[in-house]
Short mmCIF file of all heavy atoms in Angstrom, two decimals:
data_model
loop_
_atom_site.label_atom_id
_atom_site.label_comp_id
_atom_site.label_asym_id
_atom_site.label_seq_id
_atom_site.Cartn_x
_atom_site.Cartn_y
_atom_site.Cartn_z
N MET A 1 -36.83 -43.62 13.62
CA MET A 1 -35.78 -43.18 12.74
C MET A 1 -35.03 -44.40 12.22
O MET A 1 -34.59 -45.24 12.99
CB MET A 1 -34.83 -42.24 13.49
CG MET A 1 -33.65 -41.83 12.69
SD MET A 1 -32.63 -40.69 13.63
CE MET A 1 -32.19 -39.61 12.33
N LYS A 2 -34.88 -44.47 10.92
CA LYS A 2 -34.16 -45.58 10.31
C LYS A 2 -32.67 -45.29 10.25
O LYS A 2 -32.26 -44.16 10.01
CB LYS A 2 -34.66 -45.83 8.89
CG LYS A 2 -36.00 -46.48 8.80
CD LYS A 2 -36.29 -46.82 7.36
CE LYS A 2 -37.58 -47.60 7.26
NZ LYS A 2 -37.87 -47.99 5.89
N LYS A 3 -31.91 -46.31 10.48
CA LYS A 3 -30.46 -46.19 10.33
C LYS A 3 -30.10 -46.70 8.95
O LYS A 3 -30.59 -47.72 8.49
CB LYS A 3 -29.73 -46.99 11.40
CG LYS A 3 -29.94 -46.47 12.79
CD LYS A 3 -29.12 -47.23 13.79
CE LYS A 3 -29.34 -46.67 15.18
NZ LYS A 3 -28.52 -47.35 16.16
N ARG A 4 -29.22 -45.96 8.30
CA ARG A 4 -28.79 -46.35 6.97
C ARG A 4 -27.28 -46.46 6.93
O ARG A 4 -26.57 -45.76 7.64
CB ARG A 4 -29.23 -45.32 5.94
CG ARG A 4 -30.72 -45.24 5.80
CD ARG A 4 -31.06 -44.24 4.73
NE ARG A 4 -32.51 -44.11 4.67
CZ ARG A 4 -33.13 -43.37 3.79
NH1 ARG A 4 -32.45 -42.66 2.92
NH2 ARG A 4 -34.43 -43.31 3.78
N ALA A 5 -26.83 -47.31 6.07
CA ALA A 5 -25.40 -47.46 5.86
C ALA A 5 -25.13 -47.42 4.36
O ALA A 5 -25.92 -47.93 3.57
CB ALA A 5 -24.90 -48.77 6.43
N TYR A 6 -24.06 -46.78 4.01
CA TYR A 6 -23.67 -46.70 2.61
C TYR A 6 -22.28 -47.29 2.46
O TYR A 6 -21.40 -47.05 3.28
CB TYR A 6 -23.65 -45.24 2.14
CG TYR A 6 -25.00 -44.58 2.16
CD1 TYR A 6 -25.39 -43.80 3.23
CD2 TYR A 6 -25.89 -44.76 1.10
CE1 TYR A 6 -26.63 -43.20 3.26
CE2 TYR A 6 -27.14 -44.15 1.12
CZ TYR A 6 -27.50 -43.38 2.20
OH TYR A 6 -28.73 -42.78 2.22
N LYS A 7 -22.10 -48.04 1.42
CA LYS A 7 -20.78 -48.59 1.12
C LYS A 7 -20.27 -47.88 -0.13
O LYS A 7 -20.97 -47.76 -1.12
CB LYS A 7 -20.85 -50.09 0.87
CG LYS A 7 -21.15 -50.90 2.10
CD LYS A 7 -21.06 -52.38 1.80
CE LYS A 7 -21.35 -53.18 3.05
NZ LYS A 7 -21.23 -54.63 2.79
N GLU A 8 -19.03 -47.44 -0.02
CA GLU A 8 -18.40 -46.77 -1.15
C GLU A 8 -17.13 -47.53 -1.50
O GLU A 8 -16.47 -48.10 -0.64
CB GLU A 8 -18.05 -45.32 -0.81
CG GLU A 8 -19.25 -44.46 -0.50
CD GLU A 8 -20.15 -44.20 -1.69
OE1 GLU A 8 -19.64 -44.20 -2.83
OE2 GLU A 8 -21.35 -44.03 -1.48
N ARG A 9 -16.79 -47.52 -2.75
CA ARG A 9 -15.57 -48.18 -3.21
C ARG A 9 -14.71 -47.16 -3.93
O ARG A 9 -15.22 -46.33 -4.66
CB ARG A 9 -15.95 -49.32 -4.14
CG ARG A 9 -14.84 -50.18 -4.61
CD ARG A 9 -14.39 -51.13 -3.53
NE ARG A 9 -13.20 -51.81 -4.01
CZ ARG A 9 -12.83 -52.98 -3.62
NH1 ARG A 9 -13.52 -53.62 -2.72
NH2 ARG A 9 -11.75 -53.52 -4.10
N PHE A 10 -13.42 -47.23 -3.72
CA PHE A 10 -12.48 -46.29 -4.32
C PHE A 10 -11.49 -47.07 -5.16
O PHE A 10 -10.86 -48.01 -4.68
CB PHE A 10 -11.77 -45.52 -3.19
CG PHE A 10 -10.71 -44.58 -3.66
CD1 PHE A 10 -11.01 -43.55 -4.54
CD2 PHE A 10 -9.42 -44.71 -3.21
CE1 PHE A 10 -10.03 -42.68 -4.97
CE2 PHE A 10 -8.43 -43.84 -3.63
CZ PHE A 10 -8.74 -42.82 -4.51
N TYR A 11 -11.35 -46.71 -6.40
CA TYR A 11 -10.40 -47.35 -7.30
C TYR A 11 -9.35 -46.32 -7.71
O TYR A 11 -9.52 -45.60 -8.69
CB TYR A 11 -11.11 -47.91 -8.53
CG TYR A 11 -12.12 -48.98 -8.21
CD1 TYR A 11 -13.46 -48.69 -8.12
CD2 TYR A 11 -11.70 -50.29 -7.96
CE1 TYR A 11 -14.39 -49.67 -7.80
CE2 TYR A 11 -12.61 -51.28 -7.65
CZ TYR A 11 -13.96 -50.97 -7.57
OH TYR A 11 -14.86 -51.94 -7.26
N PRO A 12 -8.26 -46.23 -6.96
CA PRO A 12 -7.25 -45.21 -7.27
C PRO A 12 -6.45 -45.57 -8.53
O PRO A 12 -6.27 -46.75 -8.86
CB PRO A 12 -6.35 -45.23 -6.05
CG PRO A 12 -6.49 -46.60 -5.50
CD PRO A 12 -7.90 -47.02 -5.80
N THR A 13 -5.97 -44.54 -9.18
CA THR A 13 -5.06 -44.74 -10.29
C THR A 13 -3.72 -45.19 -9.71
O THR A 13 -3.49 -45.07 -8.50
CB THR A 13 -4.86 -43.43 -11.08
OG1 THR A 13 -4.23 -42.48 -10.23
CG2 THR A 13 -6.18 -42.88 -11.60
N PRO A 14 -2.82 -45.71 -10.52
CA PRO A 14 -1.51 -46.12 -9.98
C PRO A 14 -0.77 -44.97 -9.27
O PRO A 14 -0.14 -45.19 -8.24
CB PRO A 14 -0.75 -46.59 -11.22
CG PRO A 14 -1.80 -47.06 -12.16
CD PRO A 14 -2.97 -46.13 -11.93
N GLU A 15 -0.88 -43.76 -9.81
CA GLU A 15 -0.24 -42.61 -9.17
C GLU A 15 -0.87 -42.32 -7.81
O GLU A 15 -0.18 -42.04 -6.83
CB GLU A 15 -0.33 -41.37 -10.05
CG GLU A 15 0.42 -41.48 -11.36
CD GLU A 15 -0.37 -42.20 -12.45
OE1 GLU A 15 -1.62 -42.31 -12.33
OE2 GLU A 15 0.26 -42.67 -13.40
N GLN A 16 -2.21 -42.38 -7.76
CA GLN A 16 -2.91 -42.15 -6.50
C GLN A 16 -2.57 -43.24 -5.48
O GLN A 16 -2.38 -42.96 -4.30
CB GLN A 16 -4.41 -42.09 -6.71
CG GLN A 16 -4.89 -40.87 -7.45
CD GLN A 16 -6.36 -40.95 -7.82
OE1 GLN A 16 -6.89 -42.04 -8.04
NE2 GLN A 16 -7.01 -39.81 -7.89
N ALA A 17 -2.48 -44.47 -5.94
CA ALA A 17 -2.15 -45.59 -5.04
C ALA A 17 -0.77 -45.40 -4.44
O ALA A 17 -0.55 -45.67 -3.25
CB ALA A 17 -2.23 -46.91 -5.80
N GLU A 18 0.18 -44.92 -5.25
CA GLU A 18 1.53 -44.68 -4.74
C GLU A 18 1.52 -43.57 -3.70
O GLU A 18 2.16 -43.69 -2.65
CB GLU A 18 2.46 -44.31 -5.89
CG GLU A 18 3.90 -44.14 -5.47
CD GLU A 18 4.82 -43.83 -6.63
OE1 GLU A 18 4.45 -44.09 -7.78
OE2 GLU A 18 5.92 -43.33 -6.35
N LEU A 19 0.81 -42.48 -3.96
CA LEU A 19 0.74 -41.38 -3.00
C LEU A 19 0.04 -41.81 -1.71
O LEU A 19 0.46 -41.41 -0.62
CB LEU A 19 0.02 -40.18 -3.62
CG LEU A 19 0.80 -39.43 -4.69
CD1 LEU A 19 -0.08 -38.39 -5.38
CD2 LEU A 19 2.02 -38.78 -4.09
N LEU A 20 -1.00 -42.60 -1.83
CA LEU A 20 -1.69 -43.11 -0.64
C LEU A 20 -0.76 -43.99 0.19
O LEU A 20 -0.72 -43.89 1.41
CB LEU A 20 -2.95 -43.87 -1.03
CG LEU A 20 -4.12 -43.03 -1.51
CD1 LEU A 20 -5.20 -43.93 -2.11
CD2 LEU A 20 -4.70 -42.21 -0.37
N ALA A 21 -0.01 -44.86 -0.49
CA ALA A 21 0.91 -45.74 0.23
C ALA A 21 1.98 -44.93 0.96
O ALA A 21 2.33 -45.24 2.10
CB ALA A 21 1.56 -46.72 -0.75
N GLN A 22 2.49 -43.87 0.32
CA GLN A 22 3.48 -43.01 0.97
C GLN A 22 2.88 -42.31 2.18
O GLN A 22 3.50 -42.22 3.23
CB GLN A 22 4.02 -41.98 -0.01
CG GLN A 22 4.92 -42.56 -1.07
CD GLN A 22 5.33 -41.53 -2.12
OE1 GLN A 22 4.86 -40.41 -2.10
NE2 GLN A 22 6.20 -41.93 -3.02
N SER A 23 1.65 -41.81 2.02
CA SER A 23 0.99 -41.10 3.13
C SER A 23 0.73 -42.03 4.30
O SER A 23 0.99 -41.68 5.46
CB SER A 23 -0.33 -40.49 2.65
OG SER A 23 -0.10 -39.52 1.67
N PHE A 24 0.23 -43.23 4.01
CA PHE A 24 -0.04 -44.19 5.09
C PHE A 24 1.25 -44.63 5.75
O PHE A 24 1.30 -44.83 6.97
CB PHE A 24 -0.82 -45.39 4.56
CG PHE A 24 -2.19 -45.06 4.06
CD1 PHE A 24 -2.76 -45.78 3.02
CD2 PHE A 24 -2.93 -44.03 4.62
CE1 PHE A 24 -4.02 -45.48 2.55
CE2 PHE A 24 -4.20 -43.71 4.15
CZ PHE A 24 -4.75 -44.44 3.13
N GLY A 25 2.31 -44.81 4.97
CA GLY A 25 3.60 -45.18 5.54
C GLY A 25 4.15 -44.11 6.46
O GLY A 25 4.68 -44.40 7.53
N SER A 26 4.00 -42.85 6.05
CA SER A 26 4.46 -41.74 6.88
C SER A 26 3.66 -41.67 8.19
O SER A 26 4.23 -41.47 9.26
CB SER A 26 4.32 -40.42 6.13
OG SER A 26 5.17 -40.40 5.01
N ALA A 27 2.35 -41.83 8.08
CA ALA A 27 1.50 -41.79 9.27
C ALA A 27 1.86 -42.92 10.23
O ALA A 27 1.93 -42.73 11.44
CB ALA A 27 0.04 -41.86 8.88
N ARG A 28 2.11 -44.10 9.67
CA ARG A 28 2.49 -45.25 10.50
C ARG A 28 3.82 -45.00 11.18
O ARG A 28 4.01 -45.32 12.37
CB ARG A 28 2.54 -46.51 9.63
CG ARG A 28 2.79 -47.78 10.42
CD ARG A 28 2.65 -49.05 9.57
NE ARG A 28 3.45 -49.01 8.36
CZ ARG A 28 2.95 -48.94 7.12
NH1 ARG A 28 1.65 -48.88 6.92
NH2 ARG A 28 3.75 -48.93 6.08
N PHE A 29 4.80 -44.40 10.48
CA PHE A 29 6.10 -44.09 11.06
C PHE A 29 5.95 -43.11 12.22
O PHE A 29 6.53 -43.31 13.29
CB PHE A 29 7.04 -43.51 10.00
CG PHE A 29 8.34 -43.04 10.59
CD1 PHE A 29 9.34 -43.94 10.89
CD2 PHE A 29 8.54 -41.70 10.87
CE1 PHE A 29 10.54 -43.51 11.45
CE2 PHE A 29 9.73 -41.26 11.43
CZ PHE A 29 10.73 -42.17 11.72
N VAL A 30 5.17 -42.05 12.01
CA VAL A 30 4.98 -41.05 13.07
C VAL A 30 4.30 -41.68 14.28
O VAL A 30 4.69 -41.45 15.42
CB VAL A 30 4.18 -39.84 12.54
CG1 VAL A 30 3.75 -38.93 13.67
CG2 VAL A 30 4.99 -39.07 11.51
N TRP A 31 3.27 -42.49 14.04
CA TRP A 31 2.56 -43.15 15.14
C TRP A 31 3.51 -44.05 15.94
O TRP A 31 3.56 -43.96 17.17
CB TRP A 31 1.39 -43.97 14.61
CG TRP A 31 0.75 -44.80 15.67
CD1 TRP A 31 1.01 -46.10 15.99
CD2 TRP A 31 -0.24 -44.36 16.61
NE1 TRP A 31 0.24 -46.50 17.05
CE2 TRP A 31 -0.53 -45.45 17.45
CE3 TRP A 31 -0.90 -43.15 16.82
CZ2 TRP A 31 -1.46 -45.37 18.47
CZ3 TRP A 31 -1.83 -43.09 17.85
CH2 TRP A 31 -2.10 -44.18 18.66
N ASN A 32 4.26 -44.90 15.25
CA ASN A 32 5.16 -45.83 15.93
C ASN A 32 6.28 -45.10 16.66
O ASN A 32 6.66 -45.48 17.77
CB ASN A 32 5.74 -46.83 14.94
CG ASN A 32 4.71 -47.83 14.47
OD1 ASN A 32 3.72 -48.09 15.15
ND2 ASN A 32 4.93 -48.39 13.30
N ASN A 33 6.81 -44.04 16.06
CA ASN A 33 7.87 -43.27 16.69
C ASN A 33 7.37 -42.59 17.95
O ASN A 33 8.04 -42.60 18.98
CB ASN A 33 8.41 -42.24 15.69
CG ASN A 33 9.59 -41.49 16.23
OD1 ASN A 33 9.42 -40.54 16.97
ND2 ASN A 33 10.78 -41.94 15.86
N THR A 34 6.19 -42.00 17.89
CA THR A 34 5.61 -41.32 19.06
C THR A 34 5.26 -42.34 20.15
O THR A 34 5.50 -42.08 21.34
CB THR A 34 4.36 -40.52 18.66
OG1 THR A 34 4.73 -39.59 17.63
CG2 THR A 34 3.77 -39.78 19.83
N LEU A 35 4.74 -43.48 19.76
CA LEU A 35 4.43 -44.53 20.74
C LEU A 35 5.69 -45.00 21.44
O LEU A 35 5.71 -45.16 22.68
CB LEU A 35 3.73 -45.70 20.05
CG LEU A 35 3.34 -46.86 20.95
CD1 LEU A 35 2.34 -46.43 22.02
CD2 LEU A 35 2.76 -47.99 20.11
N ALA A 36 6.77 -45.19 20.69
CA ALA A 36 8.04 -45.61 21.30
C ALA A 36 8.56 -44.54 22.25
O ALA A 36 9.07 -44.86 23.34
CB ALA A 36 9.06 -45.91 20.21
N TYR A 37 8.45 -43.27 21.86
CA TYR A 37 8.90 -42.16 22.70
C TYR A 37 8.14 -42.14 24.03
O TYR A 37 8.74 -42.04 25.10
CB TYR A 37 8.70 -40.86 21.95
CG TYR A 37 8.93 -39.61 22.75
CD1 TYR A 37 10.20 -39.22 23.14
CD2 TYR A 37 7.86 -38.79 23.11
CE1 TYR A 37 10.41 -38.06 23.87
CE2 TYR A 37 8.05 -37.62 23.83
CZ TYR A 37 9.34 -37.27 24.21
OH TYR A 37 9.53 -36.12 24.92
N ARG A 38 6.82 -42.26 23.95
CA ARG A 38 6.00 -42.22 25.16
C ARG A 38 6.23 -43.46 26.03
O ARG A 38 6.28 -43.37 27.25
CB ARG A 38 4.52 -42.10 24.79
CG ARG A 38 4.20 -40.76 24.12
CD ARG A 38 2.77 -40.65 23.75
NE ARG A 38 2.00 -40.41 24.98
CZ ARG A 38 0.70 -40.53 25.07
NH1 ARG A 38 -0.02 -40.87 24.04
NH2 ARG A 38 0.10 -40.29 26.21
N THR A 39 6.39 -44.62 25.39
CA THR A 39 6.61 -45.86 26.14
C THR A 39 7.96 -45.82 26.85
O THR A 39 8.06 -46.19 28.03
CB THR A 39 6.56 -47.07 25.18
OG1 THR A 39 5.28 -47.09 24.55
CG2 THR A 39 6.76 -48.37 25.93
N GLU A 40 8.99 -45.36 26.16
CA GLU A 40 10.32 -45.28 26.77
C GLU A 40 10.33 -44.29 27.94
O GLU A 40 10.93 -44.57 28.99
CB GLU A 40 11.36 -44.85 25.73
CG GLU A 40 12.75 -44.79 26.29
CD GLU A 40 13.78 -44.35 25.26
OE1 GLU A 40 13.44 -44.31 24.07
OE2 GLU A 40 14.91 -44.04 25.69
N ALA A 41 9.65 -43.15 27.79
CA ALA A 41 9.60 -42.17 28.87
C ALA A 41 8.91 -42.77 30.09
O ALA A 41 9.34 -42.53 31.23
CB ALA A 41 8.86 -40.92 28.41
N TYR A 42 7.88 -43.56 29.86
CA TYR A 42 7.18 -44.15 30.99
C TYR A 42 8.01 -45.24 31.66
O TYR A 42 8.08 -45.33 32.88
CB TYR A 42 5.83 -44.72 30.55
CG TYR A 42 5.01 -45.23 31.70
CD1 TYR A 42 4.33 -44.35 32.53
CD2 TYR A 42 4.92 -46.59 31.98
CE1 TYR A 42 3.59 -44.80 33.61
CE2 TYR A 42 4.19 -47.05 33.05
CZ TYR A 42 3.52 -46.15 33.87
OH TYR A 42 2.79 -46.60 34.93
N GLN A 43 8.65 -46.09 30.85
CA GLN A 43 9.40 -47.21 31.41
C GLN A 43 10.69 -46.76 32.10
O GLN A 43 11.08 -47.35 33.10
CB GLN A 43 9.72 -48.22 30.31
CG GLN A 43 8.51 -48.97 29.84
CD GLN A 43 8.82 -49.94 28.71
OE1 GLN A 43 9.89 -49.90 28.12
NE2 GLN A 43 7.86 -50.80 28.41
N THR A 44 11.34 -45.74 31.57
CA THR A 44 12.62 -45.33 32.16
C THR A 44 12.46 -44.33 33.30
O THR A 44 13.21 -44.37 34.27
CB THR A 44 13.56 -44.72 31.10
OG1 THR A 44 12.92 -43.61 30.49
CG2 THR A 44 13.93 -45.75 30.06
N HIS A 45 11.49 -43.42 33.18
CA HIS A 45 11.35 -42.35 34.18
C HIS A 45 10.01 -42.38 34.92
O HIS A 45 9.80 -41.56 35.80
CB HIS A 45 11.49 -40.98 33.51
CG HIS A 45 12.76 -40.82 32.74
ND1 HIS A 45 14.02 -40.79 33.32
CD2 HIS A 45 12.98 -40.70 31.41
CE1 HIS A 45 14.93 -40.66 32.39
NE2 HIS A 45 14.33 -40.60 31.21
N GLY A 46 9.11 -43.28 34.52
CA GLY A 46 7.78 -43.31 35.13
C GLY A 46 6.98 -42.07 34.77
O GLY A 46 6.04 -41.72 35.47
N GLN A 47 7.36 -41.42 33.69
CA GLN A 47 6.73 -40.17 33.29
C GLN A 47 5.71 -40.43 32.18
O GLN A 47 6.01 -41.08 31.18
CB GLN A 47 7.81 -39.21 32.78
CG GLN A 47 7.31 -37.88 32.32
CD GLN A 47 8.45 -37.02 31.78
OE1 GLN A 47 9.55 -37.52 31.56
NE2 GLN A 47 8.18 -35.77 31.56
N SER A 48 4.52 -39.90 32.36
CA SER A 48 3.48 -40.03 31.35
C SER A 48 3.49 -38.79 30.47
O SER A 48 3.29 -37.68 30.95
CB SER A 48 2.12 -40.20 32.02
OG SER A 48 1.11 -40.33 31.06
N ILE A 49 3.72 -38.97 29.18
CA ILE A 49 3.78 -37.86 28.22
C ILE A 49 2.38 -37.64 27.67
O ILE A 49 1.75 -38.57 27.17
CB ILE A 49 4.75 -38.17 27.07
CG1 ILE A 49 6.12 -38.57 27.58
CG2 ILE A 49 4.83 -37.02 26.09
CD1 ILE A 49 6.89 -37.47 28.24
N SER A 50 1.90 -36.39 27.73
CA SER A 50 0.57 -36.09 27.20
C SER A 50 0.61 -36.07 25.68
O SER A 50 1.66 -35.97 25.06
CB SER A 50 0.10 -34.73 27.71
OG SER A 50 0.88 -33.70 27.14
N HIS A 51 -0.58 -36.17 25.08
CA HIS A 51 -0.68 -36.12 23.63
C HIS A 51 -0.16 -34.79 23.09
O HIS A 51 0.54 -34.75 22.08
CB HIS A 51 -2.12 -36.34 23.18
CG HIS A 51 -2.58 -37.74 23.35
ND1 HIS A 51 -2.18 -38.76 22.52
CD2 HIS A 51 -3.40 -38.31 24.26
CE1 HIS A 51 -2.73 -39.89 22.91
NE2 HIS A 51 -3.48 -39.64 23.97
N SER A 52 -0.50 -33.69 23.76
CA SER A 52 -0.06 -32.39 23.27
C SER A 52 1.45 -32.24 23.37
O SER A 52 2.08 -31.67 22.48
CB SER A 52 -0.76 -31.26 24.04
OG SER A 52 -0.45 -31.32 25.41
N ALA A 53 2.07 -32.77 24.40
CA ALA A 53 3.52 -32.71 24.53
C ALA A 53 4.19 -33.56 23.45
O ALA A 53 5.21 -33.18 22.88
CB ALA A 53 3.97 -33.17 25.90
N ALA A 54 3.60 -34.71 23.15
CA ALA A 54 4.15 -35.57 22.11
C ALA A 54 4.00 -34.91 20.74
O ALA A 54 4.88 -35.03 19.88
CB ALA A 54 3.46 -36.92 22.13
N GLU A 55 2.90 -34.21 20.51
CA GLU A 55 2.68 -33.53 19.24
C GLU A 55 3.66 -32.39 19.04
O GLU A 55 4.10 -32.13 17.92
CB GLU A 55 1.25 -33.00 19.15
CG GLU A 55 0.21 -34.08 18.98
CD GLU A 55 -1.20 -33.55 19.03
OE1 GLU A 55 -1.38 -32.33 19.24
OE2 GLU A 55 -2.12 -34.36 18.86
N LYS A 56 4.04 -31.71 20.13
CA LYS A 56 4.96 -30.58 20.03
C LYS A 56 6.32 -31.00 19.52
O LYS A 56 7.02 -30.22 18.87
CB LYS A 56 5.08 -29.87 21.37
CG LYS A 56 3.86 -29.07 21.72
CD LYS A 56 4.01 -28.38 23.06
CE LYS A 56 2.72 -27.67 23.41
NZ LYS A 56 2.76 -27.10 24.75
N ARG A 57 6.75 -32.23 19.78
CA ARG A 57 8.05 -32.65 19.30
C ARG A 57 8.03 -32.99 17.82
O ARG A 57 9.08 -33.16 17.20
CB ARG A 57 8.57 -33.84 20.12
CG ARG A 57 7.84 -35.14 19.91
CD ARG A 57 8.38 -36.23 20.83
NE ARG A 57 9.56 -36.88 20.33
CZ ARG A 57 9.55 -37.97 19.58
NH1 ARG A 57 8.41 -38.53 19.23
NH2 ARG A 57 10.67 -38.50 19.18
N LEU A 58 6.85 -33.05 17.20
CA LEU A 58 6.76 -33.31 15.77
C LEU A 58 6.96 -32.05 14.93
O LEU A 58 7.26 -32.12 13.75
CB LEU A 58 5.39 -33.90 15.42
CG LEU A 58 5.05 -35.24 16.06
CD1 LEU A 58 3.62 -35.63 15.72
CD2 LEU A 58 6.02 -36.30 15.59
N VAL A 59 6.80 -30.89 15.55
CA VAL A 59 6.87 -29.62 14.83
C VAL A 59 8.20 -28.94 15.13
O VAL A 59 8.56 -28.76 16.29
CB VAL A 59 5.70 -28.70 15.24
CG1 VAL A 59 5.75 -27.40 14.47
CG2 VAL A 59 4.38 -29.40 15.02
N ALA A 60 8.89 -28.56 14.09
CA ALA A 60 10.18 -27.88 14.27
C ALA A 60 9.92 -26.45 14.76
O ALA A 60 9.00 -25.79 14.29
CB ALA A 60 10.94 -27.83 12.97
N PRO A 61 10.71 -25.97 15.70
CA PRO A 61 10.53 -24.59 16.18
C PRO A 61 10.85 -23.60 15.07
O PRO A 61 11.73 -23.86 14.25
CB PRO A 61 11.51 -24.46 17.34
CG PRO A 61 12.46 -25.59 17.19
CD PRO A 61 11.79 -26.65 16.38
N PRO A 62 10.12 -22.48 15.03
CA PRO A 62 10.38 -21.50 13.97
C PRO A 62 11.76 -20.87 14.15
O PRO A 62 12.25 -20.71 15.26
CB PRO A 62 9.28 -20.46 14.17
CG PRO A 62 8.74 -20.68 15.53
CD PRO A 62 9.06 -22.09 15.93
N GLY A 63 12.34 -20.50 13.02
CA GLY A 63 13.60 -19.80 13.11
C GLY A 63 14.63 -20.48 12.38
O GLY A 63 15.60 -20.39 11.93
#
């Protein structure tokens, strides 16, 4: 069986580039905020926060 690789290039319009930058910035903020939350919980309380518990704090409760 041969292995193949494909290279693709994406040339976004200025509007698309702005939306991508906003999306990546938001994702980076959420990642860094969650990492800081988990790190602080471990350093201060010795508590390991699971991924699912960390994800639950990202969603606002209904109501």
Side-chain angles (χ1 to χ4, degrees):
M1 175 178 219
K2 286 187 175 182
K3 294 184 180 182
R4 294 182 184 184
Y6 296 97
K7 290 186 180 182
E8 297 292 331
R9 185 76 187 206
F10 176 58
Y11 297 99
T13 64
E15 295 83 19
Q16 290 172 330
E18 184 177 341
L19 289 172
L20 287 169
Q22 289 174 354
S23 296
F24 296 148
S26 296
R28 185 172 53 248
F29 174 80
V30 169
W31 172 266
N32 288 336
N33 185 278
T34 303
L35 180 62
Y37 172 71
R38 294 180 75 194
T39 301
E40 182 181 348
Y42 185 77
Q43 290 177 348
T44 58
H45 305 293
Q47 180 182 12
S48 180
I49 306 292
S50 69
H51 288 285
S52 61
E55 288 174 358
K56 287 180 184 174
R57 70 183 277 269
L58 297 175
V59 181

